[in-house]
Every structure is written in C-alpha cells, then in structure tokens.
Amino acid sequence: VQLSTLLQGREGVRVVGDRFVFSSEVLFNPGSADLAPEGRAQIAGVVRILDDVRAEIPPGIDWIIRVDGHTDNVPIAPGAAFADNWELSQARALSVVRYMQDELGFPPDRMAATGFGEYRPVAAGDSEEARAQNRRIELKLTER
C-alpha cells in the first residue's frame, strides 16, 4: 500500500501487485536500450523508495530486485542493433541494472537482469495500445 501511495499519479510507472511497471516509451527511445533522461529520473525515483524499503528487510531474507525486460511482438528489423526481441529485452533490463549500480549505488548482489522478449504479454492482441502495454520494464522485489 505504501508503494502505491508514493507512486500514485506518476507518469509512466504503476504499481501492480508486488512490482513496479514502467512503460518502455518513458524509459527508452524506440529500438534503443540506452536509458533516456526521463527514464533515468523514473528509475532514480523508485530506487529512492527501494533504499528506504531495503533498510526494513530482515537480515535473514536473501532478497533481490529482479529487473524484467519485455517487448511487443513486432519483429526487429533486419540490420537493427539487436538481433531479436530477446536481445532487446535483455539489453534494456541490463541497462536499468547498470544504471542502478553505477549511477545510483544500488548493490549489484541484490539485482538480476532478465529478458522475456515478447513471450510474457500483459495485453492480448496486435493493436497499438496492446503492444504499448507489452513494451515494459518491471522491477520486482523477490526472494532469491
């Protein structure tokens, strides 16, 4: 409840159950895995919250923040920077993890970057709205 309250009304991020969900359009330019300035600001805001939360996690719990990259089902164009949606989703997740570690000082032993490609959609169909919902980064606090 506390996380939802803190994040309510922020553009491009929503709290769904036990995870933060970011729209890829907010974090990245199309086809890119480099965090855009707005994306950096969004991630930094969540890391401030996670820093508060992590102080309250009991020492016996082996927790991580899993950063999950997801794409839509549109194939990557030949000759693009990434071979396919697997690579793009993994590169985006890794970009977030590296930013959290290198720029925000989040402990690397408490993070994992995972890429799901197009295979875990949250919206069915091929409409632009559905595809936009499926292009996302999720941060999940979980036990290792």
Side-chain angles (χ1 to χ4, degrees):
V1 176
Q2 184 186 5
L3 293 180
S4 342
T5 310
L6 289 169
L7 289 171
Q8 210 147 24
R10 292 194 194 209
E11 186 67 31
V13 61
R14 60 192 196 281
V15 179
V16 180
D18 58 354
R19 62 192 71 207
F20 299 95
V21 181
F22 296 89
S23 161
S24 289
E25 278 74 4
V26 171
L27 300 185
F28 306 98
N29 292 319
S32 168
D34 297 326
L35 270 172
E38 172 64 14
R40 290 171 172 261
Q42 292 282 1
I43 298 296
V46 168
V47 167
R48 280 193 295 276
I49 293 164
L50 292 174
D51 283 339
D52 291 342
V53 168
R54 105 186 143 151
E56 298 169 23
I57 299 174
I61 295 178
D62 189 11
W63 61 272
I64 59 164
I65 299 295
R66 200 178 74 199
V67 179
D68 297 340
H70 299 269
T71 66
D72 60 23
N73 61 356
V74 176
I76 301 283
F82 299 98
D84 56 23
N85 282 324
W86 279 114
E87 268 190 25
L88 177 60
S89 66
Q90 179 67 44
R92 286 180 166 179
L94 188 56
S95 180
V96 171
V97 162
R98 287 202 168 125
Y99 175 67
M100 288 172 68
Q101 176 185 351
D102 298 345
E103 305 291 326
L104 304 175
F106 205 83
D109 61 323
R110 294 292 187 189
M111 292 188 288
T114 52
F116 287 91
E118 66 204 65
Y119 301 106
R120 303 288 300 198
V122 290
D126 290 330
S127 70
E128 188 44 47
E129 293 76 21
R131 286 185 168 137
Q133 285 181 45
N134 292 329
R135 293 188 298 266
R136 67 199 188 279
I137 291 283
E138 297 182 357
L139 271 65
K140 178 179 165 91
L141 175 63
T142 187
E143 283 197 63
R144 203 165 70 76

